[in-house]
């Protein structure tokens, strides 16, 4: 079986920097035409000048034949200057601002401690129509890790949207029925991205026969009922759910240790894994809109021209890939079968 679709985009991607960047960027560029690049480097990307310099490093790391556009984001901190938003809005290659609640995830220490500190920035974003991309999890230590997303939606996102009635918002990598319902009930300025791994896995994966660090990501995998709700949302044809892989590579030794990092490296088969998820509901006819149209429409960008072909054919994901200098990264499904494959262009 073959499926031809318009070239897709990845609306949430971690490419890292330096030698690590060079080892992962082609996995995304092999199929995605564009990707929103996350700014959670060390130190974070907090100015347009830094984002443009990072963009140049990404372009320089691409294989010569690649046709891939990085869309850059700024990392919102308590100290972001509202003036930076005007610069962002006028700079080609810049897409939006990423809000990490301080401490919510990998390299989120410099995130926002209190939204009141960034009120002026949000006002500027609203007036320049700059989208806010949100890692939607509350961070209080007393709150159960599995409840962090829906409590964020209820207690932070809902009031935020009320306070800024024209702010454009993406709730990124959603993982719960509550987030799905909130987006369904929301206005057209609110959208959500969904990863392939949250469509394919529930939280049992983290504990299958022992503790499995390569299934630990944030937001953490949830119960099966949530996975079902995400699958339903993704395949529903609703215009405000779209693909964002959240492919987040870490060196093997930073995953397999006493305090392993959060993040799944899905880029080597991200599109193929979305195809698997959609096929599980016999909804392959909805895949193209989800991976190639909805995100572009929401971000008011042209849809891609050109197409690619997926074939239903088994292949084996390598056990690991080289990563940075003398390290390796373990992809999702390492050493296991992937059921779809990109056809090599004739
Ligand atoms: C991401 C990373 O490693 O940068 N990790 C993850 O589990 N998704 C950060 C993030 O997006 O939360
Ligand atoms: Zn991410």
């Amino acid at each position: 079986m073959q499926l031809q679709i318009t070239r897709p985009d990845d609306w949430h991607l971690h490419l890292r920097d330096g030698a690590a960047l060079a080892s992962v960027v082609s996995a995304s560029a092999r199929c995605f035409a564009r990707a929103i690049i996350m700014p959670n480097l060390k130190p974070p990307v907090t100015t347009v000048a830094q984002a443009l310099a990072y963009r140049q490093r990404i372009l320089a790391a691409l294989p010569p034949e690649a046709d891939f556009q990085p869309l850059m984001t700024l990392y919102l901190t308590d100290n972001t200057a509202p003036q930076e938003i005007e610069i962002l809005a006028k700079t080609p290659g810049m897409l939006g601002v990423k809000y990490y609640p301080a401490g919510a995830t990998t390299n989120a220490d410099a995130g926002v401690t209190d939204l009141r500190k960034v009120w002026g920035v949000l006002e500027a974003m609203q007036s320049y129509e700059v989208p806010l991309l949100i890692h939607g999890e509350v961070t209080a230590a007393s709150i159960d890790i599995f409840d962090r997303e829906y409590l964020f939606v209820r207690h932070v996102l809902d009031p935020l949207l009320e306070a800024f009635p024209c702010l454009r918002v993406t709730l990124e990598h959603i993982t719960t029925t509550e987030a799905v319902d909130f987006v369904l009930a929301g206005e057209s300025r609110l959208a959500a991205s969904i990863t392939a791994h949250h469509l394919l896995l529930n939280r049992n994966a983290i504990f299958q026969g022992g503790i499995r660090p390569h299934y630990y990501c944030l937001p953490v995998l949830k119960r099966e009922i949530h996975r079902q709700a995400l699958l339903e949302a993704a395949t529903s044809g609703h215009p405000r759910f779209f693909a964002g892989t959240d492919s987040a590579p870490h060196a093997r030794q930073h995953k397999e240790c006493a305090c392993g990092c959060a993040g799944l490296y899905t880029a080597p088969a991200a599109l193929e894994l979305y195809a698997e998820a959609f096929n599980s509901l016999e909804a392959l006819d909805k895949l193209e809109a989800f991976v190639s149209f909805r995100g572009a429409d929401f971000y008011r960008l042209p849809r891609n021209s050109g197409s690619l072909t997926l074939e239903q054919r088994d292949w084996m994901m390598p056990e690991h890939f080289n990563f940075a200098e003398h390290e390796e990264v373990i992809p999702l499904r390492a050493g296991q079968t992937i059921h779809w494959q990109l056809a090599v262009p004739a």
Side-chain angles (χ1 to χ4, degrees), residues 12-14 16 38 40 98 100 105 135 172-173 195 218-219 245-248 263:
H12 181 125
L13 176 64
H14 299 270
R16 313 309 187 198
M38 290 298 119
N40 62 333
K98 176 72 190 228
Y100 293 103
T105 186
H135 184 112
E172 300 208 279
H173 44 53
T195 75
L218 288 171
T245 67
D246 199 11
S247 178

Side-chain angles (χ1 to χ4, degrees), residues 136-195:
E137 292 193 285
V138 295
T139 55
S142 58
I143 294 182
D144 194 285
I145 188 169
F146 295 100
D147 298 336
R148 288 180 181 181
E149 183 176 276
Y150 92 80
L151 290 174
F152 181 93
V153 168
R154 191 183 295 177
H155 298 299
V156 184
L157 182 54
D158 198 19
L160 179 70
L161 290 170
E162 202 150 302
F164 295 93
C166 297
L167 187 64
R168 300 177 57 73
V169 167
T170 306
L171 187 56
E172 300 208 279
H173 44 53
I174 58 167
T175 61
T176 55
T177 55
E178 291 86 354
V180 168
D181 292 344
F182 189 78
V183 171
L184 287 173
E187 301 162 33
S188 61
R189 65 190 172 109
L190 172 68
S193 61
I194 306 179
T195 75

Side-chain angles (χ1 to χ4, degrees), residues 210-231:
I211 187 109
R212 303 265 188 168
H214 295 292
Y215 291 103
Y216 173 55
C217 61
L218 288 171
V220 75
L221 295 172
K222 301 293 192 301
R223 282 177 183 275
E224 178 64 10
I225 47 162
H226 297 291
R227 187 184 79 89
Q228 294 290 344
L230 297 175
L231 263 178

Side-chain angles (χ1 to χ4, degrees), residues 1-321:
M1 165 138 168
Q2 284 203 339
L3 185 68
Q4 192 183 23
I5 59 167
T6 303
R7 284 189 75 200
D9 302 301
D10 181 352
W11 301 104
H12 181 125
L13 176 64
H14 299 270
L15 284 180
R16 313 309 187 198
D17 207 352
L21 161 64
S23 37
V24 299
V25 68
S26 56
S28 294
R30 77 194 166 90
C31 62
F32 294 111
R34 296 172 288 202
I36 298 183
I37 310 302
M38 290 298 119
N40 62 333
L41 302 182
K42 277 190 224 164
V45 177
T46 54
T47 65
V48 172
Q50 288 168 355
L52 291 180
Y54 182 30
R55 185 168 185 277
Q56 285 310 314
R57 298 197 293 281
I58 295 168
L59 294 174
L62 283 167
E65 70 283 1
D67 174 16
F68 178 77
Q69 255 191 67
L71 303 168
M72 308 309 291
T73 53
L74 280 196
Y75 185 120
L76 186 61
T77 75
D78 289 352
N79 302 316
T80 302
Q83 296 82 334
E84 202 66 21
I85 301 306
E86 181 180 355
I87 303 172
L88 185 158
K90 293 178 176 165
T91 306
M94 295 299 305
L95 180 127
V97 173
K98 176 72 190 228
Y99 162 35
Y100 293 103
T105 186
T106 310
N107 297 343
D109 304 344
V112 176
T113 60
D114 181 343
L115 274 175
R116 281 169 297 193
K117 296 193 173 164
V118 294
W119 225 243
V121 179
L122 296 171
E123 277 165 359
M125 290 179 65
Q126 177 167 256
S127 40
Y128 285 100
E129 301 191 15
V130 170
L132 182 67
L133 282 53
I134 300 184
H135 184 112
E137 292 193 285
V138 295
T139 55
S142 58
I143 294 182
D144 194 285
I145 188 169
F146 295 100
D147 298 336
R148 288 180 181 181
E149 183 176 276
Y150 92 80
L151 290 174
F152 181 93
V153 168
R154 191 183 295 177
H155 298 299
V156 184
L157 182 54
D158 198 19
L160 179 70
L161 290 170
E162 202 150 302
F164 295 93
C166 297
L167 187 64
R168 300 177 57 73
V169 167
T170 306
L171 187 56
E172 300 208 279
H173 44 53
I174 58 167
T175 61
T176 55
T177 55
E178 291 86 354
V180 168
D181 292 344
F182 189 78
V183 171
L184 287 173
E187 301 162 33
S188 61
R189 65 190 172 109
L190 172 68
S193 61
I194 306 179
T195 75
H197 49 278
H198 288 102
L199 292 175
L200 289 169
L201 298 165
N202 65 38
R203 64 192 194 178
N204 287 343
I206 312 167
F207 308 105
Q208 196 78 55
I211 187 109
R212 303 265 188 168
H214 295 292
Y215 291 103
Y216 173 55
C217 61
L218 288 171
V220 75
L221 295 172
K222 301 293 192 301
R223 282 177 183 275
E224 178 64 10
I225 47 162
H226 297 291
R227 187 184 79 89
Q228 294 290 344
L230 297 175
L231 263 178
E232 202 174 304
T235 58
S236 66
H238 188 279
R240 287 180 288 107
F241 295 105
F242 46 76
T245 67
D246 199 11
S247 178
H250 290 275
R252 175 180 194 148
Q253 71 269 25
H254 295 136
K255 296 280 295 173
E256 297 175 6
C257 58
C259 185
C261 293
L264 268 54
Y265 182 46
T266 55
L271 180 62
E272 296 84 342
L273 292 168
Y274 279 120
E276 257 183 50
F278 276 61
N279 195 33
S280 73
L281 287 198
E282 294 179 6
L284 282 171
D285 58 320
K286 300 291 197 325
L287 181 67
E288 181 180 43
F290 181 75
V291 297
S292 311
F293 299 158
R294 305 298 188 206
D297 297 351
F298 181 74
Y299 287 116
R300 298 172 172 164
L301 295 167
R303 293 180 180 182
N304 293 317
S305 54
S307 64
L308 53 73
T309 302
L310 279 164
E311 292 174 347
Q312 194 170 25
R313 179 183 329 126
D314 286 0
W315 58 284
M316 187 81 94
M317 176 61 73
E319 295 280 358
H320 57 81
F321 292 95

